[in-house]
Amino acid sequence: MCAIAGILDLQSGEPVLNPRRAQPDRLAKLRPMMESQRHRGPDGEGWFFDGEVALGHRRLAVLDLSPSGQQPMTSRNGRWTIVFNGEIFNYLELRRAFPGWMPQSATDTEVLLEAISTWGIEGALEQARGMFAMAVWDARERELTLARDRAGEKPLVYHCDGKTFAFASEMKALDGLHERRLDPLAVDAYLALGYVPAPLAIFRGCRKLEAGHLLRIRPGQKRFGELRPERWWFPERAIPEAAPERSRRIDDLREHLRESVRLRLRSDVPVALCLSGGVDSSVIAAEAVALGASPEAFTVRFDGDETDLPHARGVATHLGLRHHVVDAPCEQIVSDLSPVLSHYDEPFADSSAVPAFALARAFAGNFKVVLNGDGGDEVFGGYNHYTRIAAKQAIKAAAAAAGLCDGRGSGRTGIYVQSKSLFRSDDRRRLLAGHFRGSAYEQMVDHFAGHAPADPLKHAMWTDRHLQLANGLTYKMDIALGAFGIEGRAPFLDHALMEWAQSLPPSDFVSGNEKKILLRAAYKGLLPECVLQRPKHGFGSPIERWLNGPLQEYARDLLPGAWFEADVQQTASGQRKWALLLFSAWAHTWRAAW
């Protein structure tokens, strides 16, 4: 977990004539961008200036804690300079590709820089196993390249006003460059999904780089339309053949997952573990112990809710792990909401962001690296709505064709996505009133729908990985952990594991009411049976109790919110009311306006 930021002058294709005069001006713009992200990288900062470009980095020291690990880093030949947020987990393996090379540090960043010098940016990205957002300056071609990891674990946002291109790890770093005016397409997407998916961003003039994409920028490109992100990861091209025997597939699953956990245990600081007592985090814990690690485990407990705790304790005892319980009292939600809103610099309606924030605070000061089970549901078929998905989607398609629900004419991906919307299109149109500019669904869905598998279950899982996972779940954990200078690592999001899982038959994921079939079978006898057979229990929050308890007066003050038409707000309840409350509270915190 680090923070990056940078500025590129777009006015001219020529190098700055007087770089000494330009440098203080660039530093004056860049320093507040970096300072707003200090929480992500409390262990140092660094700067780089070269004519029209300025790069900044805040460091969270995880590998090579010495000053040798400071960024920005420049290649041996002086051509490439990088600022990097994240980890390349297979950096030791990559280093063997350069015999005779004597690195100046023991960092993954320097190995990545050598790989870029040798193979080019795309060649290096294809060889890297990790999570990252990076900016690479090519001094010879005078070109800046931004790149983001395959699963979207690390964020990257940017702004362009025709004169200057700026980027950062968090939207708050761009705050001085725009007017905090809301983008209607982004607000519409939020009301449908509960988050703002890339490439949309909540403020006009800003965008987010999509997962598995890169963006090249040169001086002279002055409009968003001239900035054309490109895909560099093509998961649909990387589907191996699955072993015909089920026993072999189980062995392969264990091998892939163990390798993923092994790579993510690499650290020069202690590693902890989020343990919910569900299958995913328990599997990660089991593999960590099998590899000789003994991470301390942490579980969140809400007032009076012991649902997760017995299972988590049972797993910790079974594996011999030291176990900690993090209490999140119901009354604490009011005091917690303010820092949550200040760190989540886009509206975010997932109520589990609150316990995620409480969990991150429990790690603060003791751990810089935390393993979690994120992605297990999307990769191995764990969500309840995956059961009997073909029949469900057929019914929804018929309802959409009859005009009884959203999705008419939008194809199977559009029907699937819109069937899970918080607010239907008519409600969103009424909420946005004169600000409605049409739904952004078509743009989001069409972008990846053509690559989705034909099988209904695999299609749903593909869609969730590329939309919900890459824009919602990863954002939640990155912001919560980043608020306290902590790096989250999710073994289920290893791209080799995800690509391999695409080859499995649907029956390895879901059959009838059973879910995660192959994953559960692979750990039978290695984890308590009560955990393996436990029904899906999400990392959610008691919304209704909050809205009718400690947040009742807070909601009364903010709803109906001034940003939407009042009539639909007044009849909202449950998750819809929570989404409206969180938007209004966020917009008030960030002083957002139309």
Side-chain angles (χ1 to χ4, degrees):
M1 180 69 66
C2 298
I4 63 176
I7 299 170
L8 178 66
D9 185 358
L10 301 175
Q11 296 286 2
S12 169
E14 298 296 324
V16 174
L17 296 177
N18 193 337
R20 285 189 176 182
R21 182 175 295 178
Q23 182 170 322
D25 180 59
R26 300 259 164 76
L27 181 58
K29 293 179 180 178
L30 196 53
R31 189 179 289 279
M33 294 173 66
M34 296 310 304
E35 189 62 29
S36 69
Q37 303 178 103
R38 175 181 287 270
H39 50 279
R40 298 180 68 91
D43 298 331
E45 65 181 7
W47 316 93
F48 170 83
F49 301 93
D50 181 16
E52 62 268 40
V53 72
L55 304 177
H57 184 267
R58 288 215 61 94
R59 185 186 185 198
L60 180 71
V62 170
L63 294 174
D64 188 348
L65 311 186
S66 75
S68 299
Q70 293 279 37
Q71 297 183 42
M73 283 188 182
T74 299
S75 61
R76 289 187 290 165
N77 60 11
R79 176 179 176 182
W80 308 94
T81 299
I82 189 171
V83 286
F84 178 83
N85 169 31
E87 301 287 346
I88 303 299
F89 298 117
N90 65 331
Y91 73 104
L92 294 178
E93 289 76 9
L94 286 179
R95 196 164 71 184
R96 297 179 194 139
F98 314 115
W101 172 51
M102 300 294 292
Q104 302 302 303
S105 71
T107 66
D108 56 330
T109 305
E110 190 175 3
V111 175
L112 177 63
L113 196 55
E114 185 69 13
I116 290 172
S117 297
T118 305
W119 303 321
I121 293 175
E122 285 97 326
L125 291 175
E126 289 170 2
Q127 296 298 317
R129 292 178 70 168
M131 54 180 189
F132 48 81
M134 68 179 80
V136 183
W137 173 244
D138 183 345
R140 189 181 75 187
E141 300 297 328
R142 315 306 293 177
E143 182 176 73
L144 181 69
T145 299
L146 307 184
R148 193 171 174 214
D149 66 69
R150 300 167 176 89
E153 292 183 76
K154 294 299 166 191
L156 197 52
V157 299
Y158 59 93
H159 173 269
C160 182
D161 63 5
K163 298 179 180 179
T164 302
F165 177 89
F167 68 89
S169 293
E170 293 188 4
M171 190 73 69
K172 59 177 63 67
L174 304 178
D175 193 46
L177 302 174
H178 58 79
E179 299 175 340
R180 298 187 182 180
R181 296 182 62 207
L182 296 167
D183 183 334
L185 289 177
V187 179
D188 176 74
Y190 167 82
L191 292 172
L193 302 171
Y195 54 85
V196 179
L200 298 173
I202 195 62
F203 292 121
R204 301 183 196 184
C206 299
R207 290 288 186 274
K208 299 197 291 281
L209 187 62
E210 292 176 87
H213 282 64
L214 60 79
L215 175 64
R216 290 185 173 89
I217 313 101
R218 288 173 177 261
Q221 295 173 302
K222 298 183 179 182
R223 300 179 182 86
F224 268 127
E226 297 172 349
L227 303 176
R228 303 188 184 281
E230 308 166 35
R231 289 178 70 199
W232 66 265
W233 182 45
F234 300 88
E236 67 275 10
R237 300 178 186 174
I239 304 178
E241 286 190 26
E245 306 87 6
R246 189 168 187 266
S247 60
R248 174 64 186 279
R249 298 199 299 274
I250 286 176
D251 290 342
D252 288 347
L253 187 158
R254 289 288 308 278
E255 182 179 336
H256 276 287
L257 198 45
R258 180 164 296 185
E259 175 68 359
S260 179
V261 173
R262 182 184 73 83
L263 293 175
R264 282 158 181 78
L265 285 170
R266 286 177 170 169
S267 172
D268 292 336
V269 297
V271 178
L273 171 72
C274 298
L275 185 63
S276 69
V279 174
D280 300 335
S281 61
S282 300
V283 162
I284 301 304
E287 287 297 353
V289 170
L291 288 162
S294 186
E296 294 189 34
F298 290 74
T299 305
V300 173
R301 172 177 58 190
F302 288 111
D303 282 323
D305 186 355
E306 301 270 328
T307 306
D308 289 334
L309 196 53
H311 300 279
R313 278 179 174 156
V315 171
T317 301
H318 179 77
L319 297 175
L321 299 177
R322 186 178 177 187
H323 187 231
H324 307 268
V325 178
V326 179
D327 279 307
C330 192
E331 295 75 16
Q332 190 177 314
I333 177 63
V334 177
S335 59
D336 268 358
L337 208 51
S338 179
V340 166
L341 291 167
S342 67
H343 278 284
Y344 284 86
D345 41 21
E346 286 194 306
F348 189 64
D350 186 342
S351 62
S352 65
V354 178
F357 199 82
L359 187 61
R361 183 169 47 214
F363 291 123
N366 299 306
F367 295 95
K368 289 183 177 180
V369 178
V370 178
L371 296 181
N372 63 57
D374 289 354
D377 291 315
E378 292 85 355
V379 176
F380 287 104
Y383 288 123
N384 291 329
H385 64 262
Y386 291 156
T387 60
R388 298 176 175 81
I389 188 71
K392 291 176 181 177
Q393 287 305 102
I395 293 172
K396 289 172 183 176
L404 301 176
C405 67
D406 292 342
R408 177 189 290 176
S410 61
R412 56 188 181 136
T413 305
I415 291 170
Y416 175 73
V417 172
Q418 297 188 56
S419 69
K420 301 195 299 178
S421 294
L422 281 172
F423 289 93
R424 289 189 58 185
S425 58
D426 287 346
D427 289 333
R428 300 199 305 274
R429 186 178 288 106
R430 285 195 292 149
L431 281 167
L432 291 168
H435 301 291
F436 186 74
R437 297 292 182 272
S439 174
Y441 270 129
E442 290 76 11
Q443 301 171 35
M444 294 182 295
V445 170
D446 291 345
H447 192 65
F448 57 82
H451 308 292
D455 176 81
L457 174 60
K458 286 192 167 188
H459 177 272
M461 293 169 62
W462 171 283
T463 303
D464 287 342
R465 284 196 300 274
H466 290 269
L467 188 60
Q468 176 180 301
L469 176 65
N471 294 282
L473 183 58
T474 55
Y475 174 70
K476 174 184 72 178
M477 294 309 298
D478 177 85
I479 295 296
L481 293 171
F484 299 94
I486 300 166
E487 177 176 282
R489 297 180 176 180
F492 281 109
L493 298 185
D494 184 88
H495 82 274
L497 175 65
M498 290 195 293
E499 289 175 355
W500 172 81
Q502 292 180 124
S503 70
L504 298 173
S507 58
D508 277 351
F509 301 123
V510 177
S511 179
N513 289 323
E514 293 185 72
K515 302 179 292 296
K516 291 183 182 171
I517 291 173
L518 194 70
L519 183 65
R520 296 176 193 271
Y523 289 87
K524 188 175 180 63
L526 300 173
L527 287 169
E529 194 65 19
C530 63
V531 172
L532 292 175
Q533 298 304 319
R534 185 185 177 195
K536 171 69 178 173
H537 180 71
F539 188 45
S541 306
I543 293 176
E544 293 289 356
R545 188 161 51 146
W546 287 351
L547 291 173
N548 295 320
L551 289 180
Q552 190 172 33
E553 185 175 342
Y554 187 78
R556 190 181 301 120
D557 290 341
L558 284 173
L559 293 180
W563 292 268
F564 303 119
E565 288 296 303
D567 57 340
V568 183
Q569 297 183 71
Q570 290 169 331
T571 59
S573 61
Q575 183 61 47
R576 292 184 175 189
K577 186 174 183 178
W578 176 260
L580 291 171
L581 173 62
L582 263 290
F583 185 94
S584 292
W586 170 86
H588 179 77
T589 299
W590 288 93
R591 300 190 300 280
W594 288 111

